Amino acid sequence: MDRGKVYIVGAGPGDMELLTLKAKRCVEEADCIVYDRLINKRILKFAKPDAELIYLGKLNTEGGVIQDEINQTLVREALKGKVVTRLKGGDPFVFGRGGEEIQEILKEGIPFEVVPGITSSISVPAYSGIPVTHRGISRSFHVFTGHTMEDGGWHNFDAIAKLQGTLVFLMGVKNLSLISGDLMKYGKDPETPVGIIEKGSTSKQRVIRGKLSDIVEIAAKEDVKPPAIIIIGGVVDLREEFNWFEKKELFGKKILVTRDEKQAEAMSSIIEKKGGEAVELPLIQIEDQMKDFDYSEIKKYKCLLFNSQNGVRSFFKYIPDMRLIGDIKIGVVGVKTKEELSKVKIVPDFMPGEYTGELLAKEASEHTEKGDNILFVTSDISPSNSQEWSVKYDRNFEKIAAYKTIKVKKDKNEVLEALKGVDIVTFLSSSTAEAFVESLEGDLSKAEGVKFASIGPVTSDTMKKLGLSVDIEAKSFTAEGILKAIEEAM
Ligand code: SAH
């Protein structure tokens, strides 16, 4: 019988881009993914559409019961012949119990591979501007669990206190006073710098600093919560110079991306590049409608107008021969629309300075003659006043819906789950705002404290009508524009 295979994979500390290429491949290949609490959920997007996703998280502390369930799940799914990817925060062998999982897998003779991950013990300090070693300050670093053993056993602090290198404690929040107390008891200088880093490498990263003598008090005052790393030693002070991550433009912001699935990624990656955190909840779906269009009809038009990337994409996806539009004038609104057109090596004949259909129609009239047919390639819901324009300019404007925007109504609980910790919800179209409110069944109380950002005046109007506040509005009507506006508002 095919015994499947298990990949024991480290997923890094939280920043999605700290996933290795190999880990990504294991996610892509998996029939079944078993993941825990500390991983960035966006990683799961790499999974096959039909892969089974099983969440078996333990609340920080390593619970015995849940570990049994994890082991059994890995074995059970692999024995069905599946490729099972076990995704763990950080590295699987650094307090990750990867070894225990392997022992269970081995009992059944199931093949396995280990993919090391970027452990939080070095990367979380790095994201706080603290190098674990530094010339002249620390020649070693030592990583400990902050848990006591089941029988109450504890580290040999007599020995640990004598170490000259950097001390790193994982899972140490609960025992912080025991750790600092014992270090001082055995002779570590009470003035030794201590840093505690909460939710490192994520938009919610928080760093608390103190000395061995006062860190307990400070941590209590700051209400430090796991997951957090305690780092002890002179290197902690380098943060004053080396802090870089928290200075990024969107640091501290968790942003909900409601765009359609295909376009969400582009926006999320800008957010993450700028140090923010993206959560994707696609509230619309784009369906192109040009498949059955008879492109031989196109010759009757003297001018084509585009007002969206999607319109350009759908129109050119099915065009049988580019020469069909060789003599036709082309006009666009929107920088992104123009960019999309450049992908098919077309430079538009005109582009109004402002993003309005009115201006596009007006310029179209300047590039055509009386009675000419003009085709406006747009979406089903895009407002177009073809008739009015036709009369006004003595042309024949027609509209074609090259794509459809379908609102995606999500389950209320799914929306609430996605909203957890989110600071800003972004709407790049009226439809996404509508789908958001509909999914929440009109109950906006759950979104209290969240800010809403709009791509422009049309979407803002819809938001206001729906009872959503418009806290931020983009000046240029693109995903970049909305993110820029968020940065400026901060
Ligand atoms: N295998 C993981 C560690 C698992 S133990 C690794 O290699 O990183 C869980 C502990 O890791 C947490 O209690 C916390 O101390 C630490 N940790 C993991 N991710 C963290 C993060 N993003 N920020 C701060 N601490 C983190």
Side-chain angles (χ1 to χ4, degrees), residues 305-308 331-335 337 350-365 376 378 382-385 388-389 392-393 397 456-458 475 477:
L305 303 177
F306 294 95
N307 69 341
S308 66
V332 302
V333 281
V335 203
T337 318
F350 56 95
M351 178 176 165
E354 258 178 81
Y355 188 100
T356 71
E358 297 302 323
L359 279 179
L360 191 61
K362 180 167 176 286
E363 292 206 15
S365 73
F376 188 25
T378 181
S382 180
S384 102
N385 310 319
E388 196 191 308
W389 298 341
K392 191 166 169 188
Y393 298 110
F397 282 90
V458 178
K475 290 195 197 82
F477 313 146

Side-chain angles (χ1 to χ4, degrees), residues 5 46 141 159:
K5 175 158 198 162
F46 298 124
F141 65 97

Side-chain angles (χ1 to χ4, degrees), residues 71-323:
N71 296 345
Q72 282 157 22
T73 307
L74 298 180
V75 168
R76 184 187 69 228
E77 296 302 316
L79 286 180
K80 289 180 190 164
K82 292 187 185 175
V83 173
V84 182
T85 291
R86 165 70 174 132
L87 268 186
K88 307 165 80 74
D91 178 85
F93 287 162
V94 178
F95 308 123
R97 303 186 72 157
E100 287 162 63
E101 289 164 11
I102 290 170
Q103 283 164 339
E104 290 304 313
I105 293 162
L106 277 176
K107 280 186 199 158
E108 302 292 335
I110 299 164
F112 71 93
E113 280 183 41
V114 180
V115 181
I118 297 192
T119 174
S120 61
S121 51
I122 56 164
S123 56
V124 166
Y127 269 59
S128 338
I130 303 173
V132 286
T133 70
H134 189 78
R135 222 177 141 81
I137 300 181
S138 167
R139 286 161 50 81
S140 64
F141 65 97
H142 312 266
V143 182
F144 305 91
T145 167
H147 277 179
T148 46
M149 285 192 274
E150 265 147 42
D151 62 7
W154 190 221
H155 301 293
N156 178 355
F157 270 87
D158 194 2
I160 295 174
K162 294 189 176 60
L163 293 170
Q164 298 294 307
T166 306
L167 308 179
V168 179
F169 286 86
L170 272 58
M171 302 176 280
V173 173
K174 211 177 88 210
N175 284 334
L176 178 64
S177 74
L178 202 56
I179 294 166
S180 57
D182 278 357
L183 284 172
M184 287 187 289
K185 181 170 141 195
Y186 289 105
K188 194 109 189 142
D189 183 357
E191 295 294 306
T192 312
V194 183
I196 305 183
I197 309 141
E198 211 180 79
K199 298 201 174 70
S201 89
T202 74
S203 68
K204 299 286 185 250
Q205 170 170 305
R206 188 164 73 121
V207 181
I208 288 109
R209 280 167 61 193
K211 297 182 291 233
L212 262 188
S213 56
D214 62 12
I215 193 68
V216 173
E217 202 185 314
I218 296 173
K221 206 173 89 211
E222 298 287 343
D223 192 24
V224 172
K225 292 234 162 55
I229 273 183
I230 303 165
I231 176 160
I232 303 168
V235 287
V236 171
D237 288 341
L238 288 170
R239 168 175 161 81
E240 269 158 43
E241 283 175 81
F242 292 1
N243 179 16
W244 58 276
F245 180 59
E246 290 159 41
K247 293 190 178 142
K248 298 190 74 164
E249 304 92 315
L250 286 177
F251 171 75
K253 297 293 161 215
K254 191 162 175 177
I255 299 173
L256 191 75
V257 176
T258 58
R259 269 185 135 175
D260 72 286
E261 209 160 357
K262 284 194 207 114
Q263 288 174 307
E265 178 58 35
M267 181 160 172
S268 300
S269 60
I270 307 175
I271 293 173
E272 294 191 342
K273 216 167 153 184
K274 290 175 181 259
E277 195 174 333
V279 183
E280 291 176 11
L281 183 75
L283 291 174
I284 50 166
Q285 205 181 316
I286 304 291
E287 250 178 34
D288 47 62
Q289 303 288 310
M290 296 301 285
K291 196 158 181 271
D292 301 319
F293 179 72
D294 178 5
Y295 280 84
S296 65
E297 288 278 298
I298 218 73
K299 294 237 155 183
K300 75 176 205 211
Y301 298 97
K302 287 289 186 312
C303 180
L304 291 177
L305 303 177
F306 294 95
N307 69 341
S308 66
Q309 275 176 293
N310 286 321
V312 172
R313 221 176 276 141
S314 313
F315 183 86
F316 288 101
K317 186 167 167 188
Y318 298 104
I319 194 165
D321 183 341
M322 273 297 192
R323 289 170 299 181

Side-chain angles (χ1 to χ4, degrees), residues 442-469:
D443 176 11
L444 296 177
S445 64
K446 295 291 193 304
E448 244 169 55
V450 174
K451 291 209 177 342
F452 296 99
S454 151
I455 191 160
V458 178
T459 303
S460 298
D461 279 347
T462 309
M463 287 163 65
K464 285 178 203 150
K465 280 188 201 123
L466 291 165
L468 295 164
S469 57

